[in-house]
Amino acid sequence: MSDDRITNIRERITYWMEVRGLTQKALALKAGLGETAVRDILKRSETTDIRLGTLEKLADALGISVLDLLPASVDRQSVGPMLKVKAAVAAGVWREAVEWPEEEWLTIPGRSDIDAPLSKRAAMRIDGDSMDQLYPPGSFVEYVTISSNTEIVSGKRVIVLRQRVGGEYEATIKEYFEDGANKRWLLPKSNNPAHQRPISLSEPGEDILEIRILGIVVGSYRPE
């Protein structure tokens, strides 16, 4: 996020604080944030990015929509509902649980033109370079969850969950592909040779207990 847009957001927060008659201490208390954190956010000399999750808390405390804090340069009509980011995709990283602790959840704006119930919409952060040809590390993807019998078109990017012997999980993004022999593949789009090997859905590997496609990617977001 550029410095001028951050300044614009700070001015909007300050304006609404004056309208609501809130001090920094009162705003911090209502937003569930530390007073020091709010003070740092409002410092004109501070250039650190302001997280969207933090903006959402501030907007709730001010009794406004988070869209009211966005800079004028943002097309507000194109911004959809705020989505919780509860996990990251990272090839080769195996964890006992994919979902983060609740205090680490983030929030990003979803697309406004997705015809799916909000309960089926979710987002993840991109960690690592297994899909860096399409999604650089640090960006976010929005996806719509699907059932096991949902038909997927070749070329669609999907959220994949693999479980290996021992119970650990890996969450990744891959491109779905079905070849002429009706074999289904998950293709990485990476510049890293370590992540360029296709995964067969019918032959997942001896140490893999299960492969599930959780959802279809419908959009991406990259913080400036």
Side-chain angles (χ1 to χ4, degrees):
M1 188 179 292
S2 62
D3 292 354
D4 58 335
R5 288 174 63 178
I6 293 173
T7 300
N8 198 324
I9 290 174
R10 290 193 177 106
E11 290 175 349
R12 291 171 185 272
I13 294 172
T14 301
Y15 167 78
W16 282 105
M17 286 174 63
E18 293 174 354
V19 170
R20 303 303 188 206
L22 294 174
T23 63
Q24 290 184 12
K25 183 176 182 179
L27 177 61
L29 184 63
K30 290 191 67 174
L33 300 170
E35 186 176 355
T36 300
V38 172
R39 183 169 60 248
D40 289 345
I41 287 171
L42 296 176
K43 281 183 181 178
R44 290 185 177 273
S45 60
E46 182 66 51
T47 59
T48 304
D49 283 358
I50 304 172
R51 286 188 172 185
L52 285 167
T54 301
L55 283 182
E56 188 177 41
K57 291 180 180 180
L58 291 170
D60 287 344
L62 292 167
I64 58 177
S65 165
V66 71
L67 299 183
D68 292 320
L69 297 179
L70 293 178
S73 59
V74 175
D75 180 3
R76 301 183 185 193
Q77 297 300 318
S78 66
V79 178
M82 302 303 290
L83 304 176
K84 297 294 185 183
V85 182
K86 302 180 181 181
V89 289
V93 178
W94 296 85
R95 305 181 177 94
E96 292 183 359
V98 173
E99 189 171 299
W100 299 331
E102 186 172 355
E103 62 270 17
E104 297 180 13
W105 291 358
L106 306 173
T107 310
I108 67 166
R111 288 177 52 178
S112 62
D113 58 345
I114 299 300
D115 186 19
L118 188 57
S119 61
K120 290 186 175 294
R121 298 175 64 177
M124 285 190 176
R125 188 182 67 203
I126 306 295
D127 288 353
D129 56 6
S130 66
M131 288 291 282
D132 61 353
Q133 292 180 10
L134 300 173
Y135 310 114
S139 57
F140 298 86
V141 292
E142 176 183 352
Y143 66 98
V144 175
T145 59
I146 61 174
S147 62
S148 58
N149 59 356
T150 299
E151 183 176 349
I152 306 173
V153 178
S154 284
K156 289 291 186 181
R157 265 78 74 180
V158 294
I159 303 294
V160 179
L161 185 67
R162 294 199 296 171
Q163 182 184 11
R164 69 181 180 184
V165 176
E168 294 178 311
Y169 296 90
E170 174 206 54
T172 63
I173 294 181
K174 295 290 185 286
E175 185 172 293
Y176 179 86
F177 175 72
E178 189 170 329
D179 64 22
N182 293 325
K183 289 186 177 181
R184 299 184 301 153
W185 299 88
L186 299 171
L187 309 179
K189 296 293 181 180
S190 176
N191 293 311
N192 185 344
H195 298 309
Q196 293 177 351
R197 182 177 180 179
I199 297 173
S200 170
L201 281 170
S202 59
E203 300 175 2
E206 293 182 0
D207 63 335
I208 303 299
L209 292 177
E210 182 185 23
I211 299 180
R212 282 191 291 148
I213 296 178
L214 300 182
I216 298 175
V217 175
V218 295
S220 61
Y221 169 80
R222 182 179 182 181
E224 295 184 10

